[in-house]
Amino acid sequence: MSTEALDHASVPNMTTPAVRRLPRSRITGLPRQAVTAIALSVVAITVLFWVAAGGLGLFGQGSTGIVQALGQLTGLAAALAAMGGLLVTARPAGLERRYGLDRMLAAHRWFGITAVFTVLAHTVFDTWAWAESSHTNWFSAFAALSTQQAWMMGAAVGTALFVIIGSTSYRRLRQALSYETWYFIHLLGYLAVILAFGHQLTLGSNFAGGTVARWWWIALALTTLALVVWSRIGVIVKSLTRPLSISAVVAESRGIGSIHVAGPGLQRMRVSGGQYFMIRPLARGLWWQAHPFSVSAAPTTRGIRFTIKASGEDSQALLRLRPGTRVLLEGPYGTFTTDRARGRRVVLVAGGVGIAPIRALLEDCNAGQQPVVIVRVSAEADLAHRAELEQLVESRNGTLHVLAGSRAFFSANDPFQPARLRAVIPDIAQRDVFICGPHAMESAVIAGVRKAGVATDRIHREEFSV
Ligand SMILES: Cc1cc2nc3c(=O)[nH]c(=O)nc-3n(C[C@H](O)[C@H](O)[C@H](O)COP(=O)(O)OP(=O)(O)OC[C@H]3O[C@@H](n4cnc5c(N)ncnc54)[C@H](O)[C@@H]3O)c2cc1C
C-alpha cells in the first residue's frame, strides 16, 4: 500500500482513552406523527387543489377533457415526486437518523422513477390535449407548446434532463459510468426542477391566477428548497466551525489504513459506534467531494478514527494525507447502532473493510450482550485491528471467529449455512445480527441467519455501495 505509515507510538490510543469518552448520541428522528402529517397534507392539498380547480369537472368534457385532467394529475405527481426525491437525497438529519441511508436512497430511487415516468406521461397527455383542442398533429402541438408558451422551453429542457438522469440511474448504465460522472449528471436534477417550476405557475390550471392553491404550491416549493439548502449547505457550514485535522495516518493491513482526526471540535460531537461521517479533506483536488466513512473506534476527546480501504482514487488519496491537513466531518449519520437491537445478545459480522463499523459497534457493546464476532477476510493478512478485536471481545464476554479464505473456497463451503451457524451460536435465534461487508456476503449472511431463526427486524445491515 502506498500509505505513508506513521509510527504507532504517535497515534492516540483509541481503545483506552485518557480523557472521558463522549456521551452516546440519542438517535432521534422526526416523530412518526409529523411524517404522517406531512404525507397526509401533501395528499390533501393535491386532491383539494385538483377538485377546487375543476379537475373533476374535466372528466365530464369528453375525451379532450379527460386527457387534460390526466395531464394535470401526472404533472402534479411528477412535481411532488421530484420535490420528494430532492428532499430525501439532501438527507435532512432528522429523517436520516430515523430511517438510515439505505431507506432514504431507496425512497429517492422510487421518487426518481415516479418523477421520470409521470413527467413523460404528463408531456404525452398535454401534447395530446393541445393537438385535439387546436386540431393539429402531435408534432406541431409539441412544437407550439414548447416554443410559444411562457416557461415551456425551460420545462422541455427540464424533462430532457429528467430522462437523462433516469436513464443513467439504470443499473447497467450506472455501472458503466464513474461515480463522479454519475454524480455530476445527478446534480442536474436541481436544475431540472427549477426549470420546470415556472410553467407550473403560468400554465398549470391549478396554480395560474392568484388562488390559494398557487400560494400553497409556492410555499411547498420554498419549504423544500429551504430544507435542501439547509441540509446540503448547512452541514458544510456547521463542519467549518469545528476545527479538525488529520493527526496520523497508519497502515493497518493489506490495502487498508486508518486516518486519525483530532481537534477541539470533537468536544461538540456525539457519535455512536456504527455511525459514519462524510469526510471532506481541505486539500487540493479533494475538497469538492465528500466521501462516507464509518468511525472505527468510539471517539474520545483525543481523536476519532476511520479505517479505509484504498479502493479508488480518493480513498487512496485520503490515506496519503499529511498530518495537519484540515478536514471537514459532516455528520454523524446512520442508524447502524447497537440501540437498534431488540434483544440483549448480538452477533456482529464483518467482511473486509466492513470491520470498521463492526469494530466500533463492538466497543459499544457491554458484557451482557456477549457479542459473537465473525470476520470474513481473504487472508489473515487482510484483517485490520486484530489485537483490538481480541481485547474487546475478551472484555465483553464474547467470542471472535476469523474466517480466512478465498471467495471460491467460501462459495463451495458456505460458513453461513443455518446448521453451521446454530452449531457455533446455539442461541442465534434470540440474537440481533449486525452485518457489514460486500453485497454478496451480506446476502449470504442474511439468508443463513433468517433460516437459522433470526427475525427480519433483528437483522441490521450497513451497505457501503450507493
Ligand atoms: C455509509 C457508508 C459507510 C462507509 N464506510 C466505509 C469505511 O468505513 N471504510 C471504507 O473503506 N469505505 C467505506 N465506505 C465506502 C467508501 O465511501 C467508498 O469506498 C469511497 O467513497 C470510494 O471512493 P473512491 O473515490 O476511492 O473510489 P471510486 O472508485 O471513485 O468509487 C468506488 C465506489 O464507491 C462509492 N462512492 C464513491 N464516492 C462516493 C461518495 N462520494 N459517496 C458515496 N459513495 C461513493 C460508489 O459506490 C463507487 O462506485 C462507506 C460507504 C458508505 C455508503
Side-chain angles (χ1 to χ4, degrees), residues 372-428:
V372 175
V373 183
I374 303 175
V375 187
R376 156 95 172 76
V377 281
S378 304
E380 296 268 343
D382 297 335
L383 177 54
H385 309 308
R386 181 169 200 139
E388 290 177 21
L389 289 173
E390 287 170 349
Q391 186 210 322
L392 286 167
V393 157
E394 198 186 332
S395 63
R396 280 150 181 79
N397 205 11
T399 44
L400 173 65
H401 303 273
V402 178
L403 310 174
S406 64
R407 268 178 201 213
F409 174 78
F410 283 118
S411 51
N413 306 276
D414 181 5
F416 303 111
Q417 277 172 10
R420 288 194 180 164
L421 286 170
R422 273 195 291 260
V424 179
I425 317 165
D427 62 347
I428 189 160

Side-chain angles (χ1 to χ4, degrees), residues 101 174 179-180 183 276 278 289-295 306-316 353 356-357 462-466:
L101 182 65
R174 158 83 181 85
Y179 180 83
E180 281 73 19
Y183 174 78
Y276 69 95
M278 302 297 293
Q289 205 190 354
H291 290 267
F293 289 100
S294 310
V295 296
F306 301 93
T307 299
I308 295 175
K309 181 174 175 178
S311 50
E313 259 180 42
D314 289 353
S315 44
Q316 282 168 28
V353 76
E462 183 71 297
E463 276 248 42
F464 276 5
S465 56
V466 291

Side-chain angles (χ1 to χ4, degrees), residues 28-41:
T28 52
L30 283 180
R32 193 178 293 257
Q33 295 87 333
V35 176
T36 314
I38 293 170
L40 282 179
S41 47

